[in-house]
Amino acid sequence: MVIFLLILLLLIVFISSVAAVLFLIGLIQSRGVPYVPLNKKQLNSIKKYVNLSQDDKLVDLGCGDGRVLRLFEKQGVKDLVGYEINFPVCCLAWFKNLVFRSKVKVYYKNFNKVDLSVYNKAFCYLLPKYLERMKDKLDKEMQGSTVISYGFKIKGWQPDDIIHTDKDNKQLGRIFIYKN
């Protein structure tokens, strides 16, 4: 019994070490952009307040493990693409897509190097400094499209709608909708 517990402990330490190394590699490789997935409450808010049609062509900029894309897939949206720069997280998205038999496409690529003009909707959950950096690209390539930013306002843009999903704290859980 003691040997079994020792082996189990060593296995847990090994798996934790591998996970920590992959996390650090991903953080370094993605130039400090952290992987912060939306939790179940936040996903439920998106599900409740963001309505898309099955004909929308949506891109998720910094899609993480693809959970928002799979949520929109469950709502019937057919054309869903995500870009992720953190390779371990991108691998996690591919794995989860296999497990959930999802048809969403996730690419290991910097979305700044992608032509966004083919999409009519963009979703992002990015820190303000990254939102500001991509503002010109969105202006240029997504004319006539809708940009949905979870959590943070895009500096210099006036939102067409702000959805407050947390009734107790108006600064949390905001969804900014921009019709570009």
Side-chain angles (χ1 to χ4, degrees):
M1 181 69 169
V2 173
I3 293 175
F4 172 75
L5 290 175
L6 186 59
I7 291 171
L8 185 62
L9 180 63
L10 287 172
L11 185 62
I12 291 170
V13 168
F14 175 74
I15 290 171
S16 298
S17 299
V18 168
V21 167
L22 288 175
F23 175 78
L24 288 173
I25 289 170
L27 193 59
I28 292 166
Q29 174 199 24
S30 61
R31 294 180 215 105
V33 179
Y35 166 57
V36 182
L38 293 167
N39 63 38
K40 195 169 225 154
K41 181 180 176 185
Q42 293 166 319
L43 287 170
N44 284 333
S45 294
I46 292 168
K47 182 178 178 180
K48 181 177 180 180
Y49 295 109
V50 177
N51 298 310
L52 302 173
S53 81
Q54 70 179 44
D55 297 325
D56 282 327
K57 294 178 79 157
L58 181 127
V59 61
D60 187 345
L61 306 173
C63 68
D65 66 5
R67 62 184 62 194
V68 173
L69 293 168
R70 288 188 299 277
L71 171 78
F72 291 144
E73 182 180 41
K74 286 181 186 174
Q75 292 180 336
V77 181
K78 305 271 188 257
D79 198 345
L80 297 159
V81 176
Y83 293 97
E84 179 56 52
I85 195 170
N86 185 322
F87 186 69
V89 175
C90 195
C91 290
L92 179 61
W94 295 333
F95 175 75
K96 286 186 171 188
N97 284 348
L98 282 173
V99 169
F100 295 117
R101 296 184 177 167
S102 174
K103 292 184 174 133
V104 303
K105 297 174 198 92
V106 175
Y107 296 104
Y108 170 60
K109 192 167 191 177
N110 183 336
F111 60 74
N112 287 308
K113 298 179 179 176
V114 173
D115 178 14
L116 301 177
S117 65
V118 297
Y119 304 101
N120 70 328
K121 299 276 194 297
F123 179 87
C124 51
Y125 177 41
L126 299 168
L127 293 170
K129 70 179 181 179
Y130 300 107
L131 289 171
E132 191 169 358
R133 285 183 196 166
M134 63 179 235
K135 188 170 50 173
D136 292 337
K137 180 174 181 63
L138 292 172
D139 271 335
K140 180 180 168 190
E141 297 178 15
M142 294 201 71
Q143 285 297 316
S145 300
T146 301
V147 177
I148 304 157
S149 176
Y150 187 90
F152 302 102
K153 183 178 180 183
I154 300 173
K155 187 177 177 181
W157 280 14
Q158 190 61 40
D160 292 277
D161 195 10
I162 303 173
I163 301 164
H164 297 276
T165 64
D166 188 326
K167 303 305 176 198
D168 298 326
N169 186 340
K170 298 276 187 194
Q171 297 303 308
L172 294 178
R174 297 176 298 174
I175 302 172
F176 297 91
I177 310 288
Y178 302 92
K179 302 216 185 264
N180 202 1

